[in-house]
Structure formats: structure tokens, C-alpha cells
Amino acid sequence: MLKERIGKTINKFREIYGDSNIRVVCAPGRVNLIGEHTDYNDGFVFPVAIDRNILMAFSEREDNFIYLHSLNFNQQSIFSLDDISFEENARWSNYTRGVTHFLKKEGYKLKGMNALIEGNIPIGSGLSSSAALEVASALAFKTINNLEIENTKMALLCQRAENEFVGMKCGIMDQFISILGKKDNALFLDCRNLNYELITLNLKSKKFIIVNTKVKRGLVDSEYNIRRRECEEGVKILKNFIPEIKALRDVTSENFEKYKDNLPENVKKRCKHVIYENERVLDSIEALKVNDFKKFGKYMYESHLSLKENYEVSCKELDLIVKTAMNTKGGYGSRMTGAGFGGCTVSLLDISSEEEFIEKISNEYKAKFGLFPEIIPVSIEDGAKLINHQ
């Protein structure tokens, strides 16, 4: 499947640009197994890179221009390395533009480039198509310009492109896992100091299945920023009682329970989610190290309930999918993943239960909401790489 897509992308590149010296990079999307809305609170996350990705075929130009063509949007966008501005009419191009802008700002010398982009990550689903495009762009520039830039710096630069150029205040997780993911491993990341550990997942007879609600997530941007502010307000108030804290990451559940009544109701609920979610991530890793999937599944479900009741970012479509997974024989755990208000769930099931779950959720979802959800069984893959296609 990937080989086929690479071949088609290269053929299309030749058709558009006529070049022969073509290289291809592949950057994966991700699903976060547990640890939601903790990243911007200096907390812990636990994502995997998945076999849905962005392909970018590219070649060097003789001039100072970047030519981009998106197969998914059937649209071209062109800009000069001397004039990188936000593009309203081809918004997808801003992820590459942002990366270009910050590479230049960091002092890297860049050549002109032709690029063709193709992806199979559902857009707007919470599986980080934007981070994958940023990472693919950075890796293409690194390759064509022989840049010395190590992985952590590249992830931070891509995050900056999204935060400051595109205007989405995301944490570091998405770019980090797209670069540093490893096949059959999850990545335990400390979002404060960027220390990370790869945790092997001995899934054997088990499988993660993503279900895309197809709900348009209109509330995400505004509500996401509100949640960030509420968390910051919680830290400000709790500092009066625990002066040494810098972020919610520093607050233990014991201290939270002791001082929670000093917080406004909404702020209290947001803080409760983040503080207990960080503990669930740490507990999940301990469970997976001894292959206790039953316990891990329990933490996944507890995470979802907290996202629903405390962080209030779930919706009825997400809740139905999670409930169906939990009621399927061989279902270990399920939760919404990503910012919320739609997007996707991730569920861990026995492979033998996959067909039953897919049939149940397809029928129940269609009956209740009038459409079929998108079912995405995934495998856990490596992070971004240059592909040898010759």
C-alpha cells in the first residue's frame, strides 16, 4: 500500500515538475494512547506513530522559490524564500511556510524546492496531519540542504511553526512522536524537559483500533484556549498554597484534594483531570511493562470519563464509540484521543473481537447519527524517514 502510494506520488511529481532527481520523505500521524491535555501543562504523554502518514516528494530548484502542490487539495502554492507570508487561500501550505520561516530565522541557508504532498491521515480528525506535514517539510529541507539539525531541535522548530506562524497553540507531543516514533513501541514523553523513553508494546493477539467520528470539530480552537487559561488560573491560585509549583504537573493528587476547594468550580474540574491524568500515564507504563493490558485498559477508560466529566471535551458520538468498545467481548479499554469535540477514539481489543466491534459500532452509530464512522485499524510504525525508492 505505501509502496503503491510512493510510486503514484513520484509519477505525479514527474507529471507536474518534470524532474528526475526526486527524493521522498514519509512522516507519520499519531494517536495518543493516554495523557490528554497534559502536554501544555508540562505533563506526561504516551503516543505512538501510526501507519497513516504524509508523503512529500521533492527536488532542488535553481531559483529562490518553493513550489508546493497538494494532491489532497488539488492546489498549488508558491512563495519566495525572501518573502514568506501567511496564505489565506491555501491554508494547508502554511505548515510548510511556517517551517521554512523558522529554519531561515535560525540561520539555516535554504535552496529553492519543488514539492508534492500526498497524505492518508484524515484531516481534522485529531491524528496530527498538521504535525506530520511540518515534520515532512523539515526533513525535506534538511535533506536537500544537508542541514545539521538534531531531532529534538527539529521537533521544537516544527512546533514553533504551528504555534507562532499557523496560530495553533499545540504542545510538543505531535511533532516529537512524528520524528522519534519506533515500530511496536509507544513513546513516554516528559513535556517539560523532553526526556523520553520507548516502551515496547507486546500486543501479540491485541490491536489498537481508531474510530473517526467524522464530527466537524468547530469548537476545538476556542475551547482549547479556554482550557489552557483555566489550567493557568488553577496554577496561579494553587501557588498561594504550594509556592514551588510551576505548572499542574507539579501538583500531586494529595495536594489537589487538600486545596481544591479554593478553586472556582470549572477550574477545579480542569485541574483534577490534568493532575490525575498525569498519574494515569505513569501507572499505565508500569502496567504495560508487565503486560497487564487489563489494568492499562482500565486507565484508558478512566481517562475518557475524566475528559468527559472534568475537562468536558467529549461529545455524544465519542461516548457511544467508547461505550460500544467497552461492551465488546475482548475490549480492554477505550477513550477519546486528541483535543476533543469530535475527532477520534482509540480502543484496545483482542484481534479476535475486531470484526464484532466493527459491526456493532457501524450499526449503532448509523442508527443513532445517520452515518457510518470511519474505522481505522492501525499498526505502530517508525517515525519520519527518507525513503529509498530507486
Side-chain angles (χ1 to χ4, degrees), residues 29-36 38-39 44-50 126-128 172-182 184-191 196-199 201 208 281 285 288 296 335 337 346 380-381:
R30 66 95 185 100
V31 65
N32 191 24
L33 301 182
I34 194 162
E36 217 64 71
T38 51
D39 55 349
F44 308 121
V45 292
F46 197 57
V48 293
I50 60 173
L127 299 179
S128 292
I172 188 62
M173 171 178 66
D174 300 350
Q175 293 81 4
F176 212 88
I177 184 63
S178 188
I179 292 170
L180 284 157
K182 188 182 173 190
D184 299 327
N185 282 256
L187 187 132
F188 169 49
L189 175 64
D190 182 331
C191 294
Y196 66 93
E197 181 185 356
L198 289 162
I199 308 292
L201 300 176
F208 285 108
V281 175
I285 288 159
L288 288 168
F296 175 59
R335 59 185 288 276
T337 184
V346 57
I380 299 169
E381 298 297 334

Side-chain angles (χ1 to χ4, degrees), residues 189-205:
L189 175 64
D190 182 331
C191 294
R192 169 171 285 166
N193 55 30
L194 303 189
N195 288 340
Y196 66 93
E197 181 185 356
L198 289 162
I199 308 292
T200 302
L201 300 176
N202 298 304
L203 293 177
K204 293 177 185 170
S205 60

Side-chain angles (χ1 to χ4, degrees), residues 53-155:
N53 46 54
I54 297 284
L55 294 177
M56 183 180 276
F58 58 97
S59 69
E60 188 179 327
R61 290 182 63 86
E62 296 298 320
D63 58 22
N64 215 22
F65 283 84
I66 306 296
Y67 276 62
L68 303 174
H69 189 103
S70 166
L71 284 181
N72 299 81
F73 290 96
N74 192 26
Q75 194 176 27
Q76 189 176 63
S77 181
I78 303 165
F79 63 95
S80 165
L81 287 168
D82 299 321
D83 181 21
I84 306 167
S85 56
F86 190 89
E87 173 56 68
E88 286 289 351
N89 296 321
R91 295 179 77 90
W92 54 270
S93 74
N94 289 314
Y95 300 103
T96 302
R97 287 167 180 259
V99 169
T100 315
H101 171 76
F102 283 107
L103 281 169
K104 281 200 73 191
K105 200 168 180 181
E106 287 289 317
Y108 293 106
K109 301 291 180 200
L110 304 181
K111 299 170 185 171
M113 183 171 76
N114 292 322
L116 179 68
I117 301 155
E118 187 272 341
N120 65 354
I121 307 169
I123 294 163
S125 64
L127 299 179
S128 292
S129 57
S130 58
L133 178 50
E134 289 152 8
V135 168
S137 302
L139 187 52
F141 278 122
K142 179 181 177 176
T143 303
I144 210 165
N145 297 285
N146 297 310
L147 305 181
E148 291 291 327
I149 177 168
E150 55 87 32
N151 287 331
T152 299
K153 186 173 182 181
M154 193 192 293

Side-chain angles (χ1 to χ4, degrees), residues 202-208 291 293 332 348-351:
N202 298 304
L203 293 177
K204 293 177 185 170
S205 60
K206 300 165 192 68
K207 189 165 195 172
F208 285 108
N291 298 323
F293 290 100
Y332 292 87
L348 178 63
L349 296 102
D350 281 327
I351 287 173

